[in-house]
Amino acid sequence: MTTFERIKKLADNQKISLKDLALKLGFSENYFYNMKNAKSSPSSEVLTKVADYFGVTVDSLLGREKDEESQTPEFSTLQRRARNLSQADQRRLLKIMDLTFTDIDNGELDEDDTEDF
């Protein structure tokens, strides 16, 4: 899988077009398609922006990490949204997640408890 294909897969999982992704990150609207057609190679700055947006590593975009490719869209969204929180809000979120994981580990929370979410 090429770097372009990895970026396209991440974009598809997040339901964002490559054109919209490029514009959102400050690139020309055809940037990723030019990459596909080998008219340009992504710089480290581009790879860093894309990796940060999707909550993955540059190595995963380059195909050096296999774990990131199997990451679910939901987990990618969680990473991206958490990264945009203030430090105080990140700490609050972590406390909520810790309590939730404790409940799950103790069998106190199951799928029926989350139907309303």
Side-chain angles (χ1 to χ4, degrees), residues 75-91:
F75 191 76
S76 294
T77 300
L78 176 62
Q79 283 183 307
R80 182 170 35 83
R81 292 190 65 191
R83 187 177 42 255
N84 293 327
L85 296 173
S86 69
Q87 247 185 347
D89 286 341
Q90 286 178 1
R91 284 191 296 272

Side-chain angles (χ1 to χ4, degrees), residues 7-17 21 53-56 71-81:
I7 293 170
K8 175 123 177 55
K9 181 178 177 183
L10 289 166
D12 289 347
N13 287 344
Q14 294 294 320
K15 298 187 181 358
I16 185 170
S17 71
L21 176 64
Y53 179 84
F54 288 116
V56 299
Q71 185 170 298
T72 65
E74 293 83 3
F75 191 76
S76 294
T77 300
L78 176 62
Q79 283 183 307
R80 182 170 35 83
R81 292 190 65 191

Side-chain angles (χ1 to χ4, degrees), residues 38-107:
K39 293 179 182 173
S40 66
S41 292
S43 67
S44 60
E45 178 187 355
V46 168
L47 291 172
T48 299
K49 283 185 176 185
V50 172
D52 287 347
Y53 179 84
F54 288 116
V56 299
T57 65
V58 170
D59 278 345
S60 71
L61 293 177
L62 296 172
R64 296 180 182 175
E65 293 179 0
K66 298 298 180 196
D67 293 341
E68 299 291 342
E69 290 179 11
S70 62
Q71 185 170 298
T72 65
E74 293 83 3
F75 191 76
S76 294
T77 300
L78 176 62
Q79 283 183 307
R80 182 170 35 83
R81 292 190 65 191
R83 187 177 42 255
N84 293 327
L85 296 173
S86 69
Q87 247 185 347
D89 286 341
Q90 286 178 1
R91 284 191 296 272
R92 278 189 219 110
L93 178 60
L94 186 56
K95 285 181 183 179
I96 292 167
M97 291 175 66
D98 283 341
L99 290 170
T100 303
F101 289 133
T102 299
D103 286 349
I104 291 170
D105 291 343
N106 293 332

